Amino acid sequence: MKTSDIILKMISYSGGNLHDINHFIKVYTFAKLIGEGEKLDERTQKILEIAAIIHDIACPLCRKKYGNTNGKYQEKEGIIIAEEFLNDSGLSDEIKDRIVYLVGHHHTYDSVNGLDYQILLEADYIVNADESCYSKENIQSALKKIFKTGTGITLFKSIYLL
């Protein structure tokens, strides 16, 4: 399954929720940009891009089940939903497992194990900072604590700190 097919499937899955659709499209775009800037190999870039597309796949369920989209709920529920979503994707089990792992950890900032994971955190934060109107203090703290890639740091600074 091509990345564009997964985007279309995720748009359909989102049930017309424009916030969710716009959010994952923005995270996907920033993840793709940072991944290419960091010169990821083709396999890792594909994993990153698909994980960015489906990273918030549990949000609709979390809204119904918990009344909010708390990151820990998203991670817990997202693992199961992402596995189901990718079943007919034609991706290898190894690639699917990594994508599901990333979906299940995209709000966990410690024990980051891989550039795909790091970039997903950075891309999601860039979008969340805008959508949630993070304070200047929060943004400056995130630059020190979250951002590690050269491309992500440059991008983040040029968006929020100029």
Side-chain angles (χ1 to χ4, degrees):
M1 188 178 279
K2 297 184 300 190
T3 304
S4 59
D5 294 329
I6 293 172
I7 291 170
L8 292 171
K9 185 176 177 182
M10 190 63 189
I11 288 171
S12 177
Y13 178 86
S14 297
N17 184 313
L18 292 177
H19 170 77
D20 287 357
I21 293 165
N22 287 324
H23 178 79
F24 85 73
I25 292 291
K26 289 185 279 186
V27 173
Y28 161 74
T29 302
F30 283 118
K32 180 174 174 50
L33 181 63
I34 296 169
E36 289 173 355
E38 295 300 306
K39 298 180 181 8
L40 294 182
D41 62 84
E42 188 176 326
R43 179 185 169 280
T44 306
Q45 183 74 28
K46 181 176 188 157
I47 289 168
L48 169 63
E49 290 181 18
I50 295 170
I53 295 163
I54 70 168
H55 77 283
D56 279 351
I57 197 164
C59 284
L61 173 67
C62 290
R63 285 186 198 102
K64 285 181 191 170
K65 187 172 181 177
Y66 304 106
N68 65 64
T69 58
N70 174 284
K72 291 301 163 194
Y73 295 149
Q74 286 182 48
E75 289 179 338
K76 175 185 169 191
E77 302 291 349
I79 290 171
I80 299 157
I81 299 168
E83 283 176 351
E84 292 170 6
F85 186 86
L86 295 172
N87 269 345
D88 64 348
S89 65
L91 298 169
S92 71
D93 288 343
E94 181 186 357
I95 288 177
K96 284 191 290 190
D97 289 349
R98 182 62 180 174
I99 293 166
V100 168
Y101 176 84
L102 294 174
V103 170
H105 290 83
H106 77 277
H107 283 282
T108 302
Y109 292 92
D110 58 345
S111 303
V112 174
N113 65 352
L115 207 46
D116 50 0
Y117 187 164
Q118 179 61 42
I119 293 169
L120 180 59
L121 293 175
E122 292 177 7
D124 196 30
Y125 187 91
I126 288 170
V127 176
N128 286 334
D130 174 53
E131 292 176 351
S132 299
C133 301
Y134 289 170
S135 69
K136 196 75 155 176
E137 294 79 23
N138 184 311
I139 287 168
Q140 289 172 334
S141 175
L143 180 62
K144 294 175 189 163
K145 293 179 180 175
I146 297 170
F147 285 78
K148 307 276 188 260
T149 69
T151 307
I153 290 167
T154 299
L155 189 57
F156 188 66
K157 283 181 176 178
S158 63
I159 295 170
Y160 293 108
L161 298 174
L162 288 182

